[in-house]
Amino acid sequence: QVQLVESGGGLVQSGGSLRLSCAASGRTAREFAMGWFRQVVGKDREFVAGISRGGGTTEYSDSVKGRFTISRDNNKNAVYLQMSAVQPEDTAVYYCAAKRIIMTAPIPRAERSYDYWGQGTQVTVSS
């Protein structure tokens, strides 16, 4: 089992910045690709960003590209999402997720591809 715990959510004004953190336990971070998803009540969970197990490759949804940055520190078993120039449309519950990867593989974007999930952290952007 792998446990993921998100933190760093809160209220931020439009145009501001926020950094989300995800702490992982149970397995070495190098065994997993990591992703950030977000979800609004009544809507499907949406892929936001992903990062390869070594941190050398990243992927972003078009809606956040250029504004959000995903990174990881495998020595700390942690993954981060730096959110800049946030907009009210970014308001959602943000989840981190882990995907088991043994060999080099593309970063998955599909929710069903991920094996472990955190409980989420609320981000609210005020206009």
Side-chain angles (χ1 to χ4, degrees):
Q1 287 285 97
V2 173
Q3 288 193 315
L4 305 174
V5 180
E6 302 96 336
S7 63
L11 177 65
V12 62
Q13 292 183 336
S14 180
S17 299
L18 199 67
R19 190 180 80 156
L20 306 183
S21 299
C22 177
S25 62
R27 300 283 185 86
T28 176
R30 290 183 172 85
E31 296 179 358
F32 299 89
M34 301 293 296
W36 284 98
F37 289 74
R38 64 187 182 187
Q39 186 171 29
V40 178
V41 174
K43 302 293 183 180
D44 293 333
R45 194 166 296 184
E46 174 191 18
F47 173 81
V48 175
I51 189 166
S52 62
R53 58 182 179 178
T57 304
T58 57
E59 296 284 345
Y60 298 93
S61 68
D62 290 340
S63 63
V64 307
K65 189 176 298 182
R67 299 188 298 116
F68 292 6
T69 301
I70 187 171
S71 62
R72 67 191 300 166
D73 184 343
N74 287 342
N75 291 328
K76 297 181 179 179
N77 280 351
V79 62
Y80 309 96
L81 184 68
Q82 179 66 48
M83 306 168 63
S84 300
V86 296
Q87 303 169 7
E89 292 74 26
D90 296 319
T91 295
V93 176
Y94 283 73
Y95 300 87
C96 64
K99 168 64 181 177
R100 295 188 300 270
I101 295 179
I102 300 174
M103 303 297 291
T104 301
I107 299 172
R109 289 173 171 259
E111 177 183 0
R112 62 182 178 273
S113 295
Y114 286 81
D115 304 297
Y116 304 99
W117 294 85
Q119 294 299 308
T121 185
Q122 175 71 47
V123 173
T124 302
V125 182
S126 61
S127 60

